[in-house]
Amino acid sequence: MLSKIMTALRGKATETGQTVVDSQALRILDQEIRDSENHLSQSKTELTRLMGQRQLNSNKADTLESKIAELEKSAEAALDKGEEALAVEVAERMVALQDDLEAERAIVSEYDASIEKLRSAIRGTDNQLRQLKQQVSVVKATESAQKAQSAVASRHSGQNSAMSSAMESLDRIKERQQLNSAQMQAADEMAAEESGSSLEARLKSAGIGGTQRKADDVLARLKAKKSAPQE
Amino acid sequence: MLNNLKALFRATTQKQPEQAAGRPVAAGLPISVSQEDLEGLRLDGRVNIKLIGLRAHPDALFRWDDDAYHHIAAVGHVDLGQGAHLVRFYLDNDTWLQANIENGQVLEYKLFDFYRVAHLSDVEFDNLINGEDKQPDSIGAQTVSLTSTTEEARSCTYQRVWGDGDSLWSPPVVFEEQVMTTESVSARHVTHHAMLYERTIEGTERMEYLLMSAENDDEGSFMVVHNVGVDVASVDIDAM
């Protein structure tokens, strides 16, 4: 029982921690980016140090090479003079320098390998960091956009009831106006009947005294005029 | 998650700057130069300079026949300005090794021998550096001939390196040297009026140098020194 309570408490603590981490996710990401940038900068400094050291060893190898070439001439000169013992001594020095040269070349090769490895690691980290920055930038922009959306949405949902009630009252006004209009029309009709204009309308519809009749009269007159003999 | 929380806490804290790693600095050297930059050469140290190849070329006046370690009894420093320095290591066999340094980097080493030293009176010294009558082979002349000090009677001619190459005479270069020794805590001050000459050692691509210097140690001692020297590769220097 006790262990279950402890587990529950641990679970709660984890949830709380997770909540803190989630709420600070962007801040943490920013700090992690800064940390990575610092490490990257240190790696770049280390790379330049390695390159400088490699150059020193490479210069030393060049010096050794030219020194060996110089000693070779000296050995030849000693042989030309018949000083074989000196030539042997010079040759021994050449051998010693040759060993040094091989050691220097090996060191230079090791530096080259380390430099290439570090360069590749820096390139990789550079890319990752760039992508991370882009993603953080997208996340920040999205969050900002969502905040704006949520603000609009909350404002809209708050006014919903007011807007629907306004629409309803508009409908009610329209309905009332239609009713008023019908009443006014009925009143007009009643007034017209009382003044006789209703009778005239009835004659007119029966073809008496209306516009149609007048047209027929004009047409008949024109036809008669046309059929009459010319003087 | 713990890592994330740590990152969150780090976001509010400042990182302390790292301490720069120190390098061993020896007495008498310029501030920007350590003994590491100078193959380990230092005051009171020892050095073995391997110049065996030179023995095969008898044309050279400069001789270096031993293969021993020599004690560095004094170190001289000349500040040439603009990050350029000369550092001289004076050895117990009357030779000295000079490092030519620019911006903390050793450009070259030369090993000189006090080939010929002549002490001068105040007047003679004044005439040498200020006199209008320029004697042949004097400091600043276009060429200088130097007679061998060995039994073999011969002389070598050196061409002036500093100054206008076409001019028959060029004024010596004046510089101040601070010399520290193992015997004294304070530096000795020497004024040099110097001119560098060179010639090719026959049968080689090596140069031999003649550094003529009229020196005033500010303690009443005046001398003119013919220093004969050669280039030394860093790989030929074994210092401890």
Side-chain angles (χ1 to χ4, degrees):
Chain A
M1 181 66 180
L2 185 64
S3 76
K4 281 184 181 171
I5 291 170
M6 289 302 287
T7 306
L9 286 174
R10 276 207 306 278
K12 180 65 183 166
T14 306
E15 279 172 22
T16 310
Q18 201 67 57
T19 309
V20 170
V21 167
D22 287 350
S23 67
Q24 299 289 341
L26 281 176
R27 203 173 164 195
I28 290 167
L29 266 176
D30 281 341
Q31 180 57 34
E32 282 178 348
I33 286 172
R34 279 198 294 274
D35 286 349
S36 299
E37 279 175 339
N38 282 341
H39 290 146
L40 195 61
S41 165
Q42 283 168 13
S43 296
K44 283 178 180 173
T45 307
E46 183 64 16
L47 177 63
T48 53
R49 192 191 66 78
L50 276 184
M51 288 167 83
Q53 198 61 45
R54 185 241 180 240
Q55 192 57 47
L56 284 180
N57 285 80
S58 174
N59 291 348
K60 194 172 176 186
D62 292 346
T63 306
L64 282 164
E65 266 180 24
S66 62
K67 194 73 207 169
I68 290 165
E70 186 187 286
L71 281 170
E72 196 166 312
K73 282 185 181 167
S74 299
E76 284 169 5
L79 284 175
D80 288 346
K81 284 196 299 173
E83 294 184 24
E84 195 143 332
L86 179 60
V88 168
E89 227 176 313
V90 173
E92 282 171 357
R93 177 74 182 137
M94 283 173 68
V95 169
L97 290 184
Q98 190 66 40
D99 289 346
D100 288 350
L101 178 59
E102 279 163 23
E104 285 303 322
R105 279 182 179 151
I107 292 169
V108 169
S109 299
E110 280 173 26
Y111 272 126
D112 282 342
S114 300
I115 286 166
E116 192 42 49
K117 222 179 275 178
L118 194 54
R119 261 194 185 144
S120 156
I122 285 172
R123 266 199 300 272
T125 311
D126 248 338
N127 280 337
Q128 281 178 350
L129 202 55
R130 198 170 50 249
Q131 285 171 6
L132 190 60
K133 277 180 180 172
Q134 282 170 352
Q135 282 170 15
V136 166
S137 152
V138 167
V139 166
K140 279 181 178 171
T142 306
E143 194 184 60
S144 167
Q146 282 179 350
K147 271 182 187 166
Q149 271 182 327
S150 114
V152 168
S154 73
R155 273 200 297 277
H156 187 252
S157 67
Q159 285 177 347
N160 237 0
S161 56
M163 279 181 80
S164 62
S165 68
M167 293 295 280
E168 281 167 13
S169 89
L170 200 60
D171 286 345
R172 280 196 301 276
I173 290 167
K174 276 182 186 170
E175 208 176 318
R176 199 166 54 242
Q177 283 175 344
Q178 278 169 0
L179 186 61
N180 285 346
S181 172
Q183 283 174 346
M184 282 191 281
Q185 196 179 348
D188 277 355
E189 278 174 8
M190 286 169 72
E193 274 175 14
E194 282 170 11
S195 66
S197 62
S198 176
L199 178 66
E200 193 182 342
R202 277 200 297 276
L203 286 172
K204 193 177 173 182
S205 68
I208 304 163
T211 310
Q212 187 62 40
R213 172 68 190 274
K214 282 180 186 170
D216 288 346
D217 288 351
V218 170
L219 199 62
R221 188 172 50 83
L222 287 174
K223 281 179 180 172
K225 189 180 175 184
K226 204 174 179 182
S227 61
Q230 296 289 319
E231 288 180 6
Chain B
M1 191 182 77
L2 186 64
N3 285 339
N4 286 339
L5 285 169
K6 278 182 182 170
L8 181 59
F9 294 140
R10 276 204 307 281
T12 57
T13 57
Q14 284 283 329
K15 193 182 177 190
Q16 294 297 317
E18 286 178 13
Q19 293 284 323
R23 296 190 306 163
V25 177
L29 302 187
I31 292 167
S32 58
V33 179
S34 80
Q35 67 184 71
E36 278 178 5
D37 301 319
L38 292 160
E39 321 302 324
L41 292 161
R42 62 183 174 86
L43 180 64
D44 209 20
R46 288 186 178 270
V47 61
N48 180 2
I49 301 163
K50 299 179 191 305
L51 287 176
I52 190 167
L54 206 59
R55 288 184 217 169
H57 305 290
D59 181 50
L61 285 188
F62 182 88
R63 307 309 305 170
W64 187 263
D65 293 332
D66 66 67
D67 198 20
Y69 280 87
H70 293 282
H71 180 232
I72 300 172
V75 175
H77 171 216
V78 179
D79 188 347
L80 298 172
Q82 296 182 322
H85 302 268
L86 297 176
V87 178
R88 296 171 166 184
F89 298 93
Y90 293 96
L91 312 184
D92 58 11
N93 63 343
D94 283 344
T95 62
W96 50 283
L97 184 61
Q98 174 178 277
N100 182 1
I101 301 167
E102 265 184 33
N103 301 315
Q105 298 278 317
V106 178
L107 301 183
E108 58 173 22
Y109 289 100
K110 281 185 169 63
L111 179 62
F112 285 99
D113 178 12
F114 291 108
Y115 198 76
R116 184 173 289 152
V117 180
H119 289 272
L120 304 176
S121 69
D122 191 351
V123 175
E124 285 171 327
F125 185 80
D126 190 48
N127 273 339
L128 185 66
I129 59 170
N130 298 319
E132 291 191 0
D133 184 19
K134 306 303 174 196
Q135 298 294 317
D137 297 335
S138 68
I139 298 176
Q142 198 172 29
T143 61
V144 168
S145 291
L146 186 63
T147 313
S148 167
T149 53
T150 57
E151 289 174 0
E152 178 198 11
R154 69 188 182 102
S155 106
C156 299
T157 303
Y158 299 81
Q159 294 289 323
R160 193 177 62 218
V161 177
W162 296 339
D164 181 3
D166 297 331
S167 171
L168 289 176
W169 188 84
S170 201
V173 176
V174 182
F175 50 82
E176 309 290 331
E177 183 183 11
Q178 302 288 332
V179 183
M180 287 194 77
T181 65
T182 51
E183 293 158 1
S184 170
V185 287
S186 59
R188 201 163 59 91
H189 184 252
V190 182
T191 304
H192 296 262
H193 301 256
M195 184 54 75
L196 183 68
Y197 296 84
E198 67 180 12
R199 73 177 185 104
T200 305
I201 299 170
E202 201 180 289
T204 72
E205 289 169 8
R206 298 186 67 135
M207 304 300 288
E208 186 174 67
Y209 303 97
L210 168 65
L211 181 68
M212 282 182 76
S213 178
E215 300 178 14
N216 168 9
D217 70 357
D218 286 349
E219 290 172 3
S221 174
F222 305 99
M223 59 177 127
V224 60
V225 184
H226 289 72
N227 302 280
V228 175
V230 290
D231 289 308
V232 174
S234 56
V235 295
D236 286 334
I237 298 169
D238 178 14
M240 59 173 65

